[in-house]
Amino acid sequence: MTDFIKQAAHVKPSANQLRLLTETPFYAFIHFSPNTFTGLEWGTGDEDPSIFNPVNLDCDGWCRAIKSAGMKGAVITAKHHDGFCLWQTKTTDHSMKSSPYKDGKGDIVGELSDACRRHGLKFGFYLSPWDRNSKLYGTDEYNDFYKAQLTELLTNYGEIFHVWFDGACGEGANGKKQIYDFDGYFELIHKYQPNATVFNDKGPIRWCGNESGSSRYAEWSVVPSELCPNCEIQTSPGPFSGELSFMYNTDGNIGSLSNIMYSKGLVFAPSEVDMSIRPGWFYHEDEEPHSLDRLFDTYLRSVGGNTTFILNIPPKPDGTFDERDVKRLKELGDKIRESFSVNLAEGKKITVTPYCNSDTQCTVDIELEKEEKIRFLEFCEDIAEGQRIESFTVQMPKNGGWENLFEGTTVGAKRIVELGGISADRLRIFVTASRDKPIFGKIAVY
């Protein structure tokens, strides 16, 4: 059992996963399709393409708003379930070719990818496997059709940082559900965009289990291979025989020792938190953006809780962002920048000490030299070497001893602890359990 736990501590991210977690943990989703004009969330596939006419399309304005929030990239719905393609595809006329926008010569995917380059943002796309327009859906030929669309997007729009799939799968016109060739889809991505990360229900970037911005109390990137078969197994099987077929991404406790001991091997598959700035994923005029407090709290619990965060902003029918959303994005970015701009621990003494000569317990003492008002503690593991910490306590000096301020579980790529404006000249992180010797990255106090 001890050997398996140590193996679990050394399950490591791929270069692509590491890049997303550490360089691009916060990025935008843009849901735009005929749904924007019909008021639906799931289109039917028989919408008239002539309704799609964003007369004031402003991809540069999108990018400015996205950057103002501190996001590093944008992912657009190149095709949603209705099957309408936002680019000049050769595969179907249910696309920009049949839209009045730019007399049928418009390419929303191309305009956004170009704008992202101009504004220093990374670019990605979502291509719905479910297609309610294609007559091929539900047949073997549909996979070839879909791969042709995927190839166009992978080869015509420069560097792609993120490809987004979901598992939505309805019946085709023939009454049959489609068997998706995800192995073939992945092969194309690896061939044409080897540096892209892929969001998929089964990894290598996996779903957090909800669309409300919630994250787990303990978020592990090291999970059983049964949950994420798209990832490389990096350990031997767990020491106990059992079955984990019951497990799914909606479960709240997927990376704990009580589960991984029964796995057939462990993989590295970080979670992505997804939510929309409004209740709906597509634009509805009567909706208001979520409060600044809710969005900031989601940021703390996602980016600050060992996940990435994809936040959707739906354009209006005219192709611009609603000014209410633009304002809220700027407020969010300002709050993030204000909260994490001055590191009070910069240049200060930080000492890591094994606790009672243990390899798996330690204290981290942060000397601030003078009393400071502290709102946040931010720290991380060197996630390139794996995720190890199972539990920790944050403490401050009091009456010659230590007072517990916060008790937490996992750390991973980043952990942000809210401390509410306490006053202290010293903080301590007490790692109470770890799968191997903790290896820390950045430690900051704000």
Side-chain angles (χ1 to χ4, degrees):
M1 183 183 299
T2 303
D3 288 343
F4 180 74
I5 295 173
K6 185 155 284 194
Q7 286 182 51
H10 293 263
V11 174
K12 299 177 182 180
S14 68
N16 291 352
Q17 290 172 325
L18 181 64
R19 189 182 308 111
L20 191 72
L21 281 169
T22 60
E23 297 179 12
T24 321
F26 185 28
Y27 40 100
F29 218 164
I30 299 172
H31 274 61
F32 199 34
S33 85
N35 294 349
T36 308
F37 297 81
T38 63
L40 299 176
E41 285 289 306
W42 279 12
T44 59
D46 58 3
E47 293 85 0
D48 185 341
S50 68
I51 66 173
F52 189 86
N53 188 21
V55 293
N56 296 317
L57 185 76
D58 184 12
C59 291
D60 286 297
W62 298 359
C63 289
R64 285 190 293 270
I66 288 165
K67 284 191 72 173
S68 77
M71 291 184 269
K72 303 296 186 183
V75 176
I76 190 167
T77 55
K79 181 184 79 169
H80 204 255
H81 307 328
D82 52 71
F84 184 81
C85 298
L86 297 186
W87 77 100
Q88 290 289 323
T89 179
K90 297 177 181 178
T91 62
T92 177
D93 289 335
H94 197 61
S95 67
M96 296 303 298
K97 291 189 294 186
S98 301
S99 162
Y101 178 70
K102 292 190 174 179
D103 296 324
K105 294 181 171 57
D107 187 329
I108 309 293
V109 173
E111 289 194 46
L112 179 58
S113 71
D114 290 344
C116 283
R117 317 287 180 226
R118 287 193 294 272
H119 292 271
L121 292 170
K122 299 180 180 181
F123 175 72
F125 63 84
Y126 160 67
L127 186 68
S128 171
W130 187 20
D131 190 321
R132 303 184 77 177
N133 175 266
S134 175
K135 298 299 188 293
L136 297 174
Y137 191 86
T139 71
D140 291 339
E141 289 79 7
Y142 176 76
N143 276 315
D144 294 330
F145 170 86
Y146 184 85
K147 288 177 188 176
Q149 293 185 336
L150 184 59
T151 299
E152 289 177 346
L153 293 169
L154 292 170
T155 57
N156 292 331
Y157 298 99
E159 183 82 9
I160 304 296
F161 91 100
H162 201 50
V163 178
W164 213 93
F165 296 127
D166 61 18
C169 185
E171 289 185 357
N174 53 15
K176 295 181 179 179
K177 285 192 174 182
Q178 182 68 44
I179 304 300
Y180 298 137
D181 180 16
F182 276 113
D183 287 344
Y185 308 163
F186 274 64
E187 184 178 337
L188 287 173
I189 296 168
H190 295 154
K191 177 180 179 180
Y192 293 117
Q193 296 287 344
N195 294 325
T197 43
V198 182
F199 173 88
N200 181 268
D201 202 26
K202 299 179 179 180
I205 306 296
R206 60 180 172 79
W207 186 38
C208 68
N210 64 83
E211 296 182 347
S212 61
S214 299
S215 52
R216 293 175 180 82
Y217 177 63
E219 189 65 66
W220 284 99
S221 295
V222 179
V223 297
S225 59
E226 291 88 338
L227 189 72
C228 294
N230 293 334
C231 302
E232 176 189 0
I233 296 176
Q234 299 186 43
T235 71
S236 60
F240 303 140
S241 60
E243 178 59 53
L244 295 179
S245 59
F246 63 87
M247 192 174 291
Y248 187 55
N249 279 318
T250 51
D251 296 348
N253 190 28
I254 60 178
S256 67
L257 286 176
S258 61
N259 279 325
I260 67 173
M261 289 297 189
Y262 294 91
S263 75
K264 294 179 172 58
L266 302 179
V267 300
F268 195 96
S271 175
E272 178 188 85
V273 166
D274 60 319
M275 71 175 289
S276 184
I277 197 170
R278 294 159 164 257
W281 287 91
F282 289 91
Y283 184 78
H284 308 285
E285 187 176 8
D286 60 346
E287 293 181 349
E288 293 284 340
H290 295 308
S291 69
L292 175 59
D293 286 345
R294 177 174 178 183
L295 293 173
F296 184 64
D297 181 64
T298 303
Y299 177 87
L300 295 179
R301 290 184 292 103
S302 57
V303 176
N306 190 45
T307 80
T308 63
F309 180 20
I310 185 168
L311 176 63
N312 180 65
I313 311 102
K316 298 187 299 181
D318 73 348
T320 63
F321 281 168
D322 191 302
E323 284 303 315
R324 293 170 292 179
D325 297 346
V326 172
K327 180 175 181 286
R328 188 53 40 83
L329 289 170
K330 176 68 162 52
E331 291 172 343
L332 176 59
D334 287 346
K335 191 173 180 75
I336 292 170
R337 286 182 287 272
E338 181 270 330
S339 298
F340 303 104
S341 60
V342 180
N343 178 9
L344 301 173
E346 184 75 33
K348 304 299 193 300
K349 184 178 180 182
I350 300 176
T351 306
V352 181
T353 307
Y355 186 73
C356 295
N357 297 314
S358 171
D359 281 339
T360 56
Q361 292 181 313
C362 69
T363 58
V364 182
D365 287 297
I366 308 163
E367 307 280 354
L368 298 178
E369 299 177 359
K370 65 184 179 70
E371 192 167 278
E372 302 276 10
K373 185 176 182 180
I374 301 169
R375 295 176 59 201
F376 302 100
L377 168 66
E378 175 187 305
F379 64 111
C380 66
E381 299 181 64
D382 182 355
I383 199 67
E385 298 301 320
Q387 186 181 3
R388 305 179 179 194
I389 296 173
E390 293 211 347
S391 61
F392 67 92
T393 300
V394 178
Q395 305 171 323
M396 66 177 288
K398 185 174 183 180
N399 299 328
W402 292 94
E403 177 185 11
N404 287 351
L405 302 173
F406 181 87
E407 293 184 2
T409 54
T410 50
V411 176
K414 183 181 288 187
R415 186 64 189 258
I416 299 175
V417 177
E418 279 193 271
L419 295 175
I422 63 163
S423 294
D425 63 358
R426 184 179 179 187
L427 286 179
R428 169 175 282 182
I429 305 166
F430 182 11
V431 175
T432 52
S434 184
R435 294 176 178 179
D436 201 347
K437 182 179 179 179
I439 304 176
F440 293 95
K442 179 182 177 181
I443 298 173
V445 177
Y446 299 99

